[in-house]
Protein backbone atom coordinates (compact mmCIF):
# COMPACT_ATOMS: atom_id res chain seq x y z
CA UNK A 1 0.00 0.00 0.00
CA UNK A 2 2.80 2.39 0.87
CA UNK A 3 4.36 2.14 -2.59
CA UNK A 4 0.98 2.55 -4.30
CA UNK A 5 0.20 5.66 -2.26
CA UNK A 6 3.61 7.07 -3.17
CA UNK A 7 2.93 6.34 -6.84
CA UNK A 8 -0.50 8.04 -6.71
CA UNK A 9 0.85 11.09 -4.89
CA UNK A 10 3.53 11.56 -7.54
CA UNK A 11 1.15 11.12 -10.50
CA UNK A 12 1.29 13.80 -13.21
CA UNK A 13 -0.91 12.14 -15.86
CA UNK A 14 -3.21 15.19 -16.16
CA UNK A 15 -0.58 17.89 -15.74
CA UNK A 16 -1.08 19.21 -19.28
CA UNK A 17 -4.71 20.09 -18.40
CA UNK A 18 -3.83 22.29 -15.41
CA UNK A 19 -2.42 25.77 -15.05
CA UNK A 20 -1.19 24.68 -11.60
CA UNK A 21 1.15 21.89 -10.56
CA UNK A 22 -0.68 18.59 -9.91
CA UNK A 23 -0.97 17.64 -6.25
CA UNK A 24 -2.84 14.34 -5.81
CA UNK A 25 -4.65 14.28 -2.46
CA UNK A 26 -5.66 10.90 -1.04
CA UNK A 27 -5.57 9.06 2.29
CA UNK A 28 -6.02 5.30 2.69
CA UNK A 29 -4.74 2.20 4.43
CA UNK A 30 -5.42 -1.50 4.20
CA UNK A 31 -7.23 -1.49 7.55
CA UNK A 32 -9.78 1.27 6.80
CA UNK A 33 -13.39 0.22 7.40
CA UNK A 34 -15.05 3.31 5.91
CA UNK A 35 -14.32 4.45 2.37
CA UNK A 36 -15.39 7.94 1.33
CA UNK A 37 -15.28 8.55 -2.41
CA UNK A 38 -15.64 12.23 -3.20
CA UNK A 39 -15.31 14.36 -6.30
CA UNK A 40 -11.96 16.17 -6.42
CA UNK A 41 -9.99 18.42 -4.09
CA UNK A 42 -10.98 22.07 -4.08
CA UNK A 43 -8.47 24.91 -4.12
CA UNK A 44 -8.09 24.98 -0.30
CA UNK A 45 -7.46 21.23 -0.17
CA UNK A 46 -5.01 21.53 -3.05
CA UNK A 47 -3.09 24.12 -1.04
CA UNK A 48 -3.11 22.20 2.27
CA UNK A 49 -2.75 18.68 0.83
CA UNK A 50 -5.25 17.44 3.45
CA UNK A 51 -8.42 15.74 2.13
CA UNK A 52 -11.69 17.50 3.01
CA UNK A 53 -9.80 20.33 4.75
CA UNK A 54 -12.48 22.92 3.98
CA UNK A 55 -16.10 23.88 4.68
CA UNK A 56 -17.37 20.83 2.78
CA UNK A 57 -15.25 18.59 5.00
CA UNK A 58 -16.61 20.22 8.15
CA UNK A 59 -20.16 19.65 6.89
CA UNK A 60 -19.38 16.03 5.98
CA UNK A 61 -17.90 15.30 9.42
CA UNK A 62 -20.98 16.86 11.04
CA UNK A 63 -23.27 14.68 8.90
CA UNK A 64 -21.32 11.58 9.84
CA UNK A 65 -21.07 12.49 13.51
CA UNK A 66 -17.35 11.73 13.61
CA UNK A 67 -14.61 14.05 14.74
CA UNK A 68 -11.40 14.97 12.95
CA UNK A 69 -9.39 12.45 14.96
CA UNK A 70 -11.42 9.53 13.56
CA UNK A 71 -11.99 11.09 10.13
CA UNK A 72 -8.27 11.60 9.53
CA UNK A 73 -7.20 8.26 10.98
CA UNK A 74 -6.20 6.40 7.80
CA UNK A 75 -6.42 3.10 9.65
CA UNK A 76 -10.18 3.76 10.00
CA UNK A 77 -11.22 5.99 7.09
CA UNK A 78 -10.00 6.00 3.49
CA UNK A 79 -10.53 9.31 1.65
CA UNK A 80 -10.40 8.74 -2.10
CA UNK A 81 -11.59 11.28 -4.68
CA UNK A 82 -12.73 10.53 -8.22
CA UNK A 83 -10.09 12.98 -9.42
CA UNK A 84 -7.03 13.17 -7.17
CA UNK A 85 -5.98 16.69 -8.15
CA UNK A 86 -7.70 20.06 -8.01
CA UNK A 87 -9.20 20.38 -11.49
CA UNK A 88 -9.22 24.19 -11.53
CA UNK A 89 -12.23 26.46 -11.69
CA UNK A 90 -14.59 27.76 -14.32
CA UNK A 91 -17.38 30.33 -14.43
CA UNK A 92 -19.70 28.34 -12.17
CA UNK A 93 -17.14 27.01 -9.66
CA UNK A 94 -14.71 24.12 -9.60
CA UNK A 95 -14.41 22.06 -12.76
CA UNK A 96 -15.45 18.37 -12.71
CA UNK A 97 -12.88 15.80 -11.61
CA UNK A 98 -10.52 14.65 -14.33
CA UNK A 99 -11.80 11.41 -15.86
CA UNK A 100 -8.35 9.76 -15.98
CA UNK A 101 -7.88 9.22 -12.23
CA UNK A 102 -10.58 6.73 -11.27
CA UNK A 103 -9.85 4.20 -14.05
CA UNK A 104 -6.11 4.58 -13.49
CA UNK A 105 -6.02 4.24 -9.70
CA UNK A 106 -9.28 3.15 -8.06
CA UNK A 107 -9.15 -0.60 -8.78
CA UNK A 108 -5.58 -0.90 -7.60
CA UNK A 109 -6.25 1.14 -4.49
CA UNK A 110 -9.53 -0.54 -3.54
CA UNK A 111 -8.03 -4.01 -3.98
CA UNK A 112 -5.75 -3.14 -1.08
CA UNK A 113 -8.58 -1.76 1.08
CA UNK A 114 -9.96 -5.21 1.94
CA UNK A 115 -11.47 -4.26 5.30
CA UNK A 116 -13.90 -1.64 3.95
CA UNK A 117 -17.39 -2.34 5.28
CA UNK A 118 -19.24 0.55 3.66
CA UNK A 119 -18.52 3.15 0.98
CA UNK A 120 -19.99 6.64 0.92
CA UNK A 121 -20.42 7.92 -2.63
CA UNK A 122 -20.30 11.70 -2.42
CA UNK A 123 -21.87 13.48 -5.40
CA UNK A 124 -22.95 12.47 -8.86
CA UNK A 125 -19.51 11.62 -10.27
CA UNK A 126 -18.85 8.91 -7.68
CA UNK A 127 -22.42 7.67 -7.92
CA UNK A 128 -22.35 7.38 -11.72
CA UNK A 129 -19.01 5.59 -11.64
CA UNK A 130 -19.87 3.08 -8.92
CA UNK A 131 -23.63 2.63 -9.24
CA UNK A 132 -23.81 2.78 -13.03
CA UNK A 133 -27.25 1.74 -14.27
CA UNK A 134 -28.45 1.22 -10.67
CA UNK A 135 -28.34 4.99 -10.19
CA UNK A 136 -31.71 6.70 -10.35
CA UNK A 137 -32.53 9.47 -12.84
CA UNK A 138 -30.87 12.14 -10.70
CA UNK A 139 -28.82 12.61 -7.55
CA UNK A 140 -31.81 13.45 -5.33
CA UNK A 141 -33.65 10.25 -6.25
CA UNK A 142 -30.48 8.21 -5.86
CA UNK A 143 -29.79 9.60 -2.39
CA UNK A 144 -33.46 9.14 -1.42
CA UNK A 145 -33.20 5.46 -2.43
CA UNK A 146 -30.06 4.93 -0.34
CA UNK A 147 -31.49 1.80 1.35
CA UNK A 148 -31.39 0.02 -2.02
CA UNK A 149 -27.59 0.32 -2.08
CA UNK A 150 -26.94 -0.90 1.46
CA UNK A 151 -24.92 -2.56 2.84
CA UNK A 152 -22.19 -1.74 0.32
CA UNK A 153 -22.87 1.90 -0.56
CA UNK A 154 -24.55 5.01 0.77
CA UNK A 155 -24.95 7.75 -1.85
CA UNK A 156 -24.80 11.31 -0.53
CA UNK A 157 -25.04 14.79 -2.01
CA UNK A 158 -21.92 16.90 -1.92
CA UNK A 159 -21.64 18.62 1.49
CA UNK A 160 -20.71 21.97 -0.04
CA UNK A 161 -22.23 24.99 1.69
CA UNK A 162 -23.58 25.85 -1.78
CA UNK A 163 -26.04 22.96 -1.40
CA UNK A 164 -28.11 24.73 1.30
CA UNK A 165 -31.05 25.06 -1.09
CA UNK A 166 -30.96 21.31 -1.81
CA UNK A 167 -30.91 20.62 1.94
CA UNK A 168 -33.95 22.85 2.54
CA UNK A 169 -35.90 21.19 -0.29
CA UNK A 170 -35.04 17.69 0.97
CA UNK A 171 -35.64 17.75 4.71
CA UNK A 172 -35.82 13.94 4.76
CA UNK A 173 -32.05 13.91 4.29
CA UNK A 174 -31.31 15.25 7.78
CA UNK A 175 -34.33 13.59 9.42
CA UNK A 176 -33.86 10.08 8.02
CA UNK A 177 -30.60 9.47 6.20
CA UNK A 178 -28.19 11.27 8.54
CA UNK A 179 -29.34 9.35 11.66
CA UNK A 180 -29.15 6.09 9.67
CA UNK A 181 -25.58 6.81 8.57
CA UNK A 182 -24.56 7.60 12.13
CA UNK A 183 -26.05 4.30 13.30
CA UNK A 184 -24.04 2.40 10.66
CA UNK A 185 -20.83 4.21 11.59
CA UNK A 186 -21.26 3.59 15.32
CA UNK A 187 -20.99 -0.11 14.50
CA UNK A 188 -17.49 0.51 13.13
CA UNK A 189 -16.15 3.23 15.40
CA UNK A 190 -18.21 2.99 18.58
CA UNK A 191 -20.24 5.91 19.90
Amino acid sequence: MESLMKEIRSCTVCSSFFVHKPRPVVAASESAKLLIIGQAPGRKVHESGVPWDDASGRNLRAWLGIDEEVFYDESKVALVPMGFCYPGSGESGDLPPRAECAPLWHDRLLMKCKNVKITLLIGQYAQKYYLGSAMKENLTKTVFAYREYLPKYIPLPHPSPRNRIWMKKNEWFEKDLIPNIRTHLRNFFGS
Side-chain angles (χ1 to χ4, degrees), residues 23-90:
R23 184 179 194 183
V25 178
V26 60
S29 77
E30 294 173 344
S31 62
K33 292 181 180 177
L34 172 63
L35 171 60
I36 299 174
I37 300 180
Q39 294 186 165
R43 184 186 47 77
K44 288 181 182 179
V45 171
H46 172 76
E47 291 168 1
S48 74
V50 178
W52 295 98
D53 183 26
D54 56 12
S56 295
R58 286 189 294 280
N59 287 342
L60 179 59
R61 289 187 292 278
W63 288 355
L64 304 180
I66 59 178
D67 61 22
E68 285 188 19
E69 184 178 336
V70 171
F71 189 83
Y72 288 114
D73 183 342
E74 291 181 21
S75 70
K76 296 178 180 178
V77 180
L79 304 169
V80 178
M82 290 300 295
F84 290 92
C85 294
Y86 170 56
S89 61

Side-chain angles (χ1 to χ4, degrees), residues 133-162:
S133 63
M135 188 176 169
K136 306 300 179 196
E137 63 192 71
N138 60 43
L139 179 132
T140 301
K141 290 181 180 183
T142 302
V143 173
F144 186 77
Y146 74 94
R147 287 180 182 90
E148 294 179 26
Y149 308 107
L150 290 171
K152 187 171 184 175
Y153 297 119
I154 296 179
L156 296 173
H158 195 281
S160 169
R162 292 185 206 192

